[in-house]
Amino acid sequence: MKSVLLKLSGEALAGDKHTGFDEGTVRDVALQVKKVCDSGVRIGIVTGGGNFWRGRSSDSIERTKADQIGMLATVMNCVYVSEVFRSIGLKTKVFTPYAMGDITLVYSKDAVMDALDQGYVVFFAGGTGHPYFSTDTATVLRAIEMEADAIYLAKSIDGVYDSDPAKNSDARKYDEIPISRVIDERLGVIDLAASVLAFENKMPMYVFGLNEKDGITESIIGSFTGTVISVD
């Protein structure tokens, strides 16, 4: 059975509001994920926290505390998104690397694998639990631990380009690019630490546009039109 990890940016959850939650956007994500689950694919999800907090742009807060606030933003996102998922009939569990009362479950690989085997969509909230590691790193780490076949990165643009397509109308989109080149050229698809972790563990990634019609469904079980980041 295929297993994938889907990374959603926090900004994507906000829709056109650019902050907080947009329920219509999240419900559309949920309906697409349900189609993927119904096809037999096991799914883990990591969300960013940028719809609430981008602490690294603040010079007034110490880095460790800023990162901890960002971790909590991802917890809020995962709890909210998981409830929208439940409202359309999906079973979900939210895991964090630290205890949060009865809000989430404490992460363990065994518990996650059991949940996936039982048909749950599993949310990985709270990053790695440590400062100085981004949700990109958490994404690759959890994908490796859940033995995913691939990571699907939902972005605001539909793939990886040789330059910013918003600034350069001649920017060229890659259909496929090796992770070694992403690292060497600092292309910034995900941060450097996460890229190296993916390279060392041969974890392929598929970058696609979340705003594309049925982008999640098409990318995972349909016709993929984004950029494949290969590991061979």
Side-chain angles (χ1 to χ4, degrees), residues 42-152:
R42 308 193 311 174
I43 296 186
I45 294 178
V46 172
T47 71
N51 53 325
F52 286 111
W53 180 257
R54 302 197 69 86
R56 295 183 187 181
S57 62
S58 172
D59 295 326
S60 61
I61 298 176
E62 191 267 332
R63 171 67 182 271
T64 297
K65 294 303 179 185
D67 284 359
Q68 288 171 345
I69 295 170
M71 291 177 210
L72 294 176
T74 71
V75 174
M76 290 193 295
N77 281 345
C78 285
V79 171
Y80 176 83
V81 175
S82 74
E83 287 304 303
V84 176
F85 277 32
R86 290 187 184 201
S87 74
I88 65 162
L90 286 166
K91 299 188 299 181
T92 67
K93 288 188 177 183
V94 180
F95 290 90
T96 49
Y98 33 74
M100 298 194 69
D102 61 358
I103 298 174
T104 65
L105 300 169
V106 176
Y107 174 85
S108 79
K109 175 175 178 175
D110 288 345
V112 166
M113 299 306 283
D114 285 345
L116 290 170
D117 288 343
Q118 295 172 38
Y120 284 84
V121 176
V122 172
F123 287 83
F124 301 108
T128 66
H130 300 283
Y132 295 92
F133 293 98
S134 68
T135 52
D136 286 344
T137 305
T139 295
V140 178
L141 175 63
R142 298 308 185 211
I144 294 165
E145 290 180 315
M146 70 175 275
E147 302 173 19
D149 296 292
I151 295 169
Y152 285 80

Side-chain angles (χ1 to χ4, degrees), residues 22 24 38 54 59 93 115 132 150 153 162 171 181-182 216 228:
D22 181 78
D38 289 346
R54 302 197 69 86
D59 295 326
K93 288 188 177 183
Y132 295 92
L153 299 171
D162 62 356
R181 186 173 173 188
V182 171
I216 294 171
V228 179

